Amino acid sequence: MTETDNNANGRPGGQGFVTPPLRPASPALLDELARIVGARNLLTAADDIGAYLTDARRQYTRTAPCVVRPGSTEEVAAIVGACGRHKVGIVPQGGNTGLSGGSVPIEGAGQVVLSLGRLNRVLHLDPLNNTMTVQAGCILTQIQEAAREAGRLFPLSLAAEGSCQIGGNLSTNAGGVNVLRYGNAREQILGLEVVLPDGRVWEGLRGLRKDNTGYDLKQIFVGAEGTLGIITAAVLRLRPLPSARATAWAAVATPEHAVQWLQRMGAQLGDRLSAFELISRACLDAVLQHRPQLRSPIEGAHAWHVLVELVDSTAEAELQTLALAAFEEALRDGLIVDIALASSEAQADSLWSLRESIPAAQFRNVKHDVSVPVSRVPELLRDASDALERAFPGVLPYAFGHLGDGNIHLNIGMRDPDRTESLIAEKDKVNRIVFDCVDRLGGSISAEHGIGQLRRGTITDYKSPLEIDLMRGLKRTFDPLGIMNPGKVV
Ligand code: MLT
Ligand code: ZN
């Protein structure tokens, strides 16, 4: 099944899930929405709404009757209530930086796009409880900066942090480069406020680290991609702001060496290890071609690279000494071939900009965001590359990602760039080969980018019928009319 298998209402096929038909937004609904948010916050002109209707990867360019921009939780609730009465689908949208098409409508259904961007205030910071309460439309960097100003760290960090919004980060359970030490987005919250599909508001903005009073409702909305309700505010956990950082770029002979080194570093340095990113030579070459002003930190043509970062609350010099000792041991034992340790903040930042440039440097190819147990990443890379080469001789895998948590972005192009478009035309076959390898190794076909409309037709092949049944049961319970982000996830 592909994205086109979504029917016009975005109602999932499959057994046991039938929602009433939805309708396209009518002029009467648009009038009602204008009354709720004020005419200037209801956008209908093609020029005004275009940017909301194309996803970050430009996989989907959609049409919609309007984009509505509420300025408060009450307005979100009123919009949801109105759409429910009119039986019209709603697409919640944050910074529209998602990579699976979850934040743009499906085509032809007349869905209302609800942008959270005006809900952009930090509401409260409690330094003694180490929490910050924010509205959903706060930009991630705005939150990181507010935490830093208070001498705290908000550790969620990803390439889109300058434009993604925390509501979207939570709705998609974003990952990023610090999951190894701090966990995914779902581990960064203590409470949520959510507008439910029937227009009621769940006031769950608690700042508790212990609360065993039944089901953990907030976690049901995290990663649900707006299909169960709209997150409008959150209580975020803050962490101590590290005082020292050590960043290095290493060459390793094989992914097996990288995994062994990761294991060694964990044993030596514990949770000081905050990032451990694997980068294949194809990715580094693509970056150096795409951004010629950047330089490889290490001489020579090495097959694999690792960007490693350590943080601590000690003095910088102390962490550097620890790091150097660990790196020397790894060199001596042959776990790594060479290493460059950044000696300034600027050097550390330029190592990160090499890493963060990878997605843009190889934009056109067949992309995958998969995870397997860390121990099985080398097998995944080998098996998938071999199987792809057999099916499509001349493939060029661009493998990179968060080895520290087993999440690899395995993007597939062709060694001859002129043949890339014909590979993209066969993307379903390419996906199948990669996902079958992932599945055999006990992995996930979407580690951090979510399901959206991109993988909705595929999860049914890789999750058990029981899991799909339970997910659909949740959807039915929370959203019996099926108005919340129809055509996504389930
Ligand atoms: C990354 O880790 O850079 C992203 O998750 C992958 C991407 O943007 O393609
Ligand atoms: Zn990633």
Side-chain angles (χ1 to χ4, degrees), residues 245 247-249 284 287-288 291 293-297 307 309 342-357:
R245 159 164 98 133
T247 312
W249 186 282
L284 181 60
V287 168
L288 297 177
R291 296 190 58 192
Q293 71 278 25
L294 297 179
R295 291 272 162 275
S296 171
L307 173 57
E309 188 156 276
S343 59
S344 65
E345 284 288 303
Q347 276 186 13
D349 291 347
S350 74
L351 296 183
W352 275 109
S353 77
L354 275 174
R355 159 64 183 91
E356 298 295 9
S357 301

Side-chain angles (χ1 to χ4, degrees), residues 99 158 175-177 277 355 369 400-402 407-409 448-449:
L99 301 175
L158 45 124
V177 293
E277 298 282 306
R355 159 64 183 91
D369 161 45
F400 68 102
H402 321 291
N407 173 195
I408 299 295
H409 302 302
E448 62 172 4
H449 295 172

